[in-house]
Amino acid sequence: MVKLSKRLGMIADRVPAGVKLADIGSDHALLPTYLAQNQIITYGVAGEVNPGPFEAAKRQVLECGLSRTIDVRSGDGLAVIAPGEVDVITIAGMGGSLIASILEAGKAKLEGVSLLILQPNVGEEHVRRWLLSNGWSLTSEAILEEDGKIYEILTAARVPAQKQAALEALYADRTLPDGVRVQKDRLLLMGPYLMEQAPDIWFVKWESELKKLAMIEAQLQLSTAEASALKAEQVRQEIRDIQEVLACLQKVKR
């Protein structure tokens, strides 16, 4: 039986039983193999664009005796599936901007898909923006640390056309318990559910992001260009906004 990392295990936990799944950027096909072995999925597509991982995925599926259940396909993004072929799509282990571009390029392939389980390594706000703009409701967010890295898992369900006006409600301006006002862009960046739950590892992530922003500001201050000065002020404001949210939510947790 295949064993999953903590990250992949949390993704697997979000896959409903009895579905057909496409795992895009499947690497060694560990996720669909695990799901098939545990009879969670009835059918799976493992899509991989890189030749090495594609061959490794084929070997994995063959050695586990799952060739009738999992189809390993070589191709870029959602090009590996046909419209209506699967119910659930997982995309994990790549940047949020790339995940958003894969979904955008493969919009026609999302016909019949009811659930997206997405795990960007960075740039989660790009994924949230794409979901919001394309009729997908963010239903949950999870965050974890593994091997010194922090990951977010975003789950989204398709929303019927007549209910899409309600999508914006998740990102409506809100006031935190300490009176701090949080607007849409901040929620898209930091996560509406994660901000509400405020788990300890979420604070760790954003403290780390603050350090990165401070380094960027310091580099910009070395330049005498007017554009650099303007950018430095924008970064300072970003730092202040994040610090304000963190300070407010840390008080609430005490």
Side-chain angles (χ1 to χ4, degrees):
M1 295 285 285
V2 163
K3 291 185 178 180
L4 298 180
S5 64
K6 181 180 177 182
R7 175 180 64 91
L8 288 179
M10 287 185 70
I11 294 170
D13 289 344
R14 284 155 176 76
V15 178
V19 300
K20 297 177 180 177
L21 172 128
D23 185 38
I24 306 302
S26 195
D27 197 18
H28 287 51
L30 292 176
L31 179 61
T33 297
Y34 171 88
L35 293 169
Q37 286 179 330
N38 287 274
Q39 300 181 329
I40 295 169
I41 60 172
T42 59
Y43 172 72
V45 174
E48 180 55 60
V49 70
N50 297 307
F54 169 69
E55 293 298 331
K58 286 203 299 184
R59 286 194 301 273
Q60 175 78 260
V61 170
L62 183 63
E63 290 170 3
C64 291
L66 292 170
S67 298
R68 291 186 178 182
T69 305
I70 301 172
D71 192 1
V72 181
R73 300 177 186 173
S74 177
D76 192 6
L78 302 185
V80 298
I81 59 172
E85 188 176 12
V86 298
D87 314 304
V88 177
I89 290 175
T90 53
I91 310 177
M94 57 188 80
S97 181
L98 179 55
I99 290 176
S101 68
I102 286 172
L103 292 170
E104 181 65 24
K107 274 185 182 180
K109 304 297 183 73
L110 294 175
E111 178 185 326
V113 175
S114 60
L115 192 68
L116 298 173
I117 304 170
L118 312 168
Q119 182 267 296
N121 288 345
V122 294
E124 296 85 2
E125 71 274 17
H126 296 293
V127 178
R128 293 188 185 99
R129 286 184 187 280
W130 188 92
L131 294 170
L132 178 60
S133 299
N134 288 277
W136 289 84
S137 175
L138 185 67
T139 56
S140 73
E141 298 174 311
I143 188 168
L144 70 144
E145 182 177 15
E146 185 174 45
D147 297 331
K149 295 181 180 180
I150 297 175
Y151 304 101
E152 292 183 16
I153 301 171
L154 313 181
T155 304
R158 187 185 289 278
V159 176
Q162 64 270 25
K163 294 185 178 181
Q164 290 190 7
L167 289 174
E168 289 282 354
L170 182 61
Y171 298 102
D173 292 1
R174 62 179 74 176
T175 302
L176 298 181
D178 202 29
V180 172
R181 191 75 172 162
V182 180
Q183 297 180 318
K184 179 179 177 180
D185 283 349
R186 183 69 40 209
L187 291 164
L188 285 162
L189 180 70
M190 301 181 78
Y193 295 111
L194 292 173
M195 190 178 291
E196 184 176 323
Q197 298 156 7
D200 290 344
I201 192 60
W202 181 79
F203 285 102
V204 173
K205 170 182 175 163
W206 285 103
E207 290 293 349
S208 175
E209 292 299 321
L210 285 173
K211 291 178 183 177
K212 293 176 187 176
L213 288 169
M215 290 175 64
I216 292 170
E217 181 195 3
Q219 287 295 318
L220 288 168
Q221 287 180 331
L222 296 176
S223 172
T224 57
E226 185 177 343
S228 295
L230 180 61
K231 180 63 178 176
E233 177 52 38
Q234 291 172 343
V235 172
R236 280 193 291 273
Q237 185 60 52
E238 178 77 0
I239 289 171
R240 288 193 291 268
D241 289 346
I242 294 172
Q243 286 175 330
E244 188 177 45
V245 170
L246 296 184
C248 172
L249 293 177
Q250 282 167 338
K251 285 182 184 177
V252 173
K253 291 199 74 172
R254 289 188 188 131

